[in-house]
Amino acid sequence: LAVLAKEEPWLTVLAIQPGIVDTAMSRTVLANASELGSQAAEMQSSQRIEALQPASAICHAVLNAPASLSGSHVAWHELK
């Protein structure tokens, strides 16, 4: 990521972590939580977010991310 940002300075390159998104897959994992142990605890319904939330932040970043963020890893909620 950092290499690409340096090789292509005209691009703003980001790795965006969307969080735990409420999807069919996350619901299936949560339904089988007893088999997965502690990792499934992270996916409790109160922590999962609607896909529209990170998607909106990512779209905003595509249009408005400052070049100073290039080469970095950010969480979706840091892009607001």
Side-chain angles (χ1 to χ4, degrees), residues 21 49-58 76:
V21 180
I49 56 174
E50 295 292 323
L52 187 58
Q53 292 173 287
S56 177
I58 292 167
W76 73 272

Side-chain angles (χ1 to χ4, degrees), residues 15-79:
I16 301 172
Q17 206 283 347
I20 301 173
V21 180
D22 185 25
T23 63
M25 183 174 73
S26 68
R27 288 187 294 275
T28 299
V29 169
L30 188 58
N32 298 303
S34 62
E35 298 171 19
L36 300 172
S38 63
Q39 289 181 340
E42 291 181 32
M43 297 183 70
Q44 295 302 320
S45 60
S46 63
Q47 294 177 327
R48 289 180 289 158
I49 56 174
E50 295 292 323
L52 187 58
Q53 292 173 287
S56 177
I58 292 167
C59 288
H60 179 75
V62 167
L63 299 173
N64 302 301
S68 62
L69 288 179
S70 193
S72 64
H73 180 266
V74 296
W76 73 272
H77 56 82
E78 297 171 344
L79 296 171

